[in-house]
Amino acid sequence: MDVAQRLALIQQVGEEILTLDELKTLLEQKQHPVAYDGFEPSGNLHIAQGLLRAINIGLMLKAGCRFKMWVADWFAWMNNKYDGDLEKIGIAGDYFIETWKACGLDTDKVEFLKASDVVGDPAYWSKVVQIGRHSTLQRVLRTTQIMGRSEKDALSAAQIFYPCMQAADIFHLDADICQLGMDQRKVNILARELGPKLFGRKPVAVHHHMLMGLQQPGVPTGEGDSVERAIAMKMSKSKPGSAIFMTDTAAEVEKKIGAAYCPEKQVMENPIIEYCKHIVFRKMDVLAIDRPAKFGGPLELQSYDDLVQVYTAGKLHPMDLKKGVAAAINGLLDPVRQHFSKGRPAELLAQVKSFDVTR
């Protein structure tokens, strides 16, 4: 593929790219730039972390990137996940990887690296200290949303130096591209500002979309900037009703989608429409709607644009759309359920479900 084709693939991933010109230059200079994402192993995996992340990484791989996935076990420890039990955190990490494998990600092409394997390296801590020395405490506190916290929360000392470590990870992994969610942008911007001075380079940031929760948004229109709104409305493991989990039963998926917020004719801030845009039409060629004959009969939508046109015109009722989306999501999750129905994957899932999640 030429640079334009590779750039177009990455643009499918990035809701925000800092900056597009820098990314284009990087692709012109490197056939296989290093991209990275990271995750705190904790809790059951929902579809934004499972299906959506697998889709995005697959596009980055197709664009020629070498992908490094950072298993942020020490970060989960610092952030009090599983009451700081590193053994449980490690088991959850194995479960996450097994889930991505089950939903079609070629994990053989992804390099999985653990934070616990590098913390004994003095070179790593040198990078952490350099970032800390060149950052004010107030600036660090403003990045705490990266770990699902607010600067107003009562933070432990470990949580305060968490952002310095995350910024250092980028340079320790020799990452050219930070491919993380929009909720991670503040620490990536910190790394972009300090990188040229401290490490002689500036990473490109490709921030992917954060899927909305299923429940009606609770943030009043116009409150905060677009990123703060998106973070407030995103799917959350701590709110089970707002999320579909990768191993939910078909009946659970149907129930959650059936109860989801889906205003008639409205596309913006509609979680069911979001599912179609960011998951269904990126994995399937057609969305089949079993619409009653009196409302026009069965409908096959070929693209997201087709859906928007029909839905905003009032030609597709929310309940008919929900039934079609539930069937599509269940089709995508069936291989995952089967994968976790026996053997080592089933044992991993049982262990993770038995753990008490803390935050």
Side-chain angles (χ1 to χ4, degrees):
M1 288 187 290
D2 60 24
V3 169
Q5 291 171 313
R6 295 166 64 207
L7 187 63
L9 285 170
I10 296 176
Q11 283 181 285
Q12 291 182 49
V13 176
E15 184 168 278
E16 175 187 62
I17 297 177
L18 302 173
T19 66
L20 192 60
D21 287 342
E22 291 174 18
L23 176 60
K24 184 175 182 290
T25 300
L26 175 65
L27 296 179
E28 288 170 345
Q29 295 174 346
K30 285 191 173 184
Q31 188 66 30
H32 301 291
V34 175
Y36 110 99
D37 192 0
F39 67 96
E40 282 188 20
S42 173
N44 201 355
L45 210 63
H46 58 55
I47 63 171
Q49 298 166 313
L51 280 173
L52 186 55
R53 191 177 236 148
I55 290 169
N56 287 336
I57 295 175
L59 287 167
M60 299 296 289
L61 292 172
K62 191 174 180 180
C65 295
R66 287 180 52 215
F67 207 95
K68 295 182 178 181
M69 181 62 88
W70 192 232
V71 184
D73 48 2
W74 261 47
F75 292 79
W77 181 32
M78 289 188 293
N79 209 11
N80 199 40
K81 299 302 172 68
Y82 295 134
D83 278 327
D85 188 323
L86 273 171
E87 182 178 356
K88 290 179 179 178
I89 290 167
I91 292 169
D94 292 341
Y95 156 70
F96 276 42
I97 295 169
E98 200 68 35
T99 305
W100 291 319
K101 186 188 301 181
C103 60
L105 179 64
D106 188 349
T107 53
D108 289 338
K109 294 182 179 178
V110 178
E111 186 178 3
F112 290 93
L113 302 162
K114 292 183 178 182
S116 54
D117 290 338
V118 305
V119 291
D121 185 350
Y124 174 75
W125 290 108
S126 174
K127 296 179 181 71
V128 175
V129 172
Q130 286 187 73
I131 289 168
R133 288 181 61 242
H134 290 84
S135 303
T136 65
L137 179 58
Q138 192 58 43
R139 179 64 191 279
V140 168
L141 287 172
R142 288 201 301 270
T143 70
T144 52
Q145 66 181 203
I146 65 174
M147 50 183 163
R149 309 286 173 173
S150 162
E151 57 188 290
K152 297 177 182 178
D153 289 344
L155 301 173
S156 69
Q159 289 169 322
I160 292 172
F161 64 79
Y162 180 121
C164 297
M165 290 175 64
Q166 184 168 324
D169 294 343
I170 297 165
F171 302 101
H172 201 73
L173 292 170
D174 291 323
D176 301 298
I177 301 172
C178 307
Q179 198 281 284
L180 294 92
M182 287 290 289
D183 56 341
Q184 305 295 302
R185 69 190 304 273
K186 287 186 178 180
V187 79
N188 289 337
I189 290 172
L190 177 65
R192 282 172 53 79
E193 290 177 357
L194 295 180
K197 176 181 179 180
L198 298 181
F199 308 110
R201 59 192 182 88
K202 180 195 292 186
V204 173
V206 176
H207 298 133
H208 63 250
H209 179 76
M210 293 180 297
L211 206 62
M212 282 182 66
L214 290 171
Q215 298 167 343
Q216 182 172 358
V219 183
T221 302
E223 182 174 311
D225 62 29
S226 58
V227 176
E228 298 295 336
R229 266 185 77 76
I231 291 170
M233 295 188 299
K234 74 174 182 176
M235 185 175 294
S236 173
K237 286 185 286 190
S238 63
K239 300 176 183 176
S242 77
I244 289 175
F245 295 96
M246 294 296 292
T247 53
D248 275 352
T249 66
E252 287 171 331
V253 170
E254 290 169 1
K255 181 179 179 180
K256 288 179 180 180
I257 290 183
Y261 179 66
C262 186
E264 192 170 359
K265 298 183 183 181
Q266 180 180 316
V267 172
M268 297 300 293
E269 296 187 357
N270 183 329
I272 301 302
I273 298 291
E274 281 223 338
Y275 273 39
C276 293
K277 180 178 182 179
H278 295 284
I279 294 179
V280 175
F281 284 114
R282 294 171 77 184
K283 293 288 286 184
M284 304 171 70
D285 295 327
V286 175
L287 173 60
I289 307 292
D290 188 16
R291 190 172 52 179
K294 63 180 180 179
F295 297 123
L299 179 66
E300 288 191 348
L301 299 168
Q302 309 291 327
S303 68
Y304 175 70
D305 289 339
D306 287 349
L307 169 62
V308 170
Q309 183 177 359
V310 171
Y311 194 74
T312 55
K315 297 178 181 179
L316 178 59
H317 192 274
M319 289 310 299
D320 293 328
L321 174 61
K322 287 180 179 184
K323 289 176 183 177
V325 171
I329 295 295
N330 272 325
L332 295 173
L333 293 181
D334 276 341
V336 181
R337 297 184 189 113
Q338 293 172 15
H339 184 79
F340 281 98
S341 66
K342 57 187 176 181
R344 173 61 177 158
E347 294 173 7
L348 276 175
L349 178 61
Q351 285 179 291
V352 169
K353 284 188 171 183
S354 73
F355 298 156
D356 291 328
V357 179
T358 59
R359 77 180 297 279

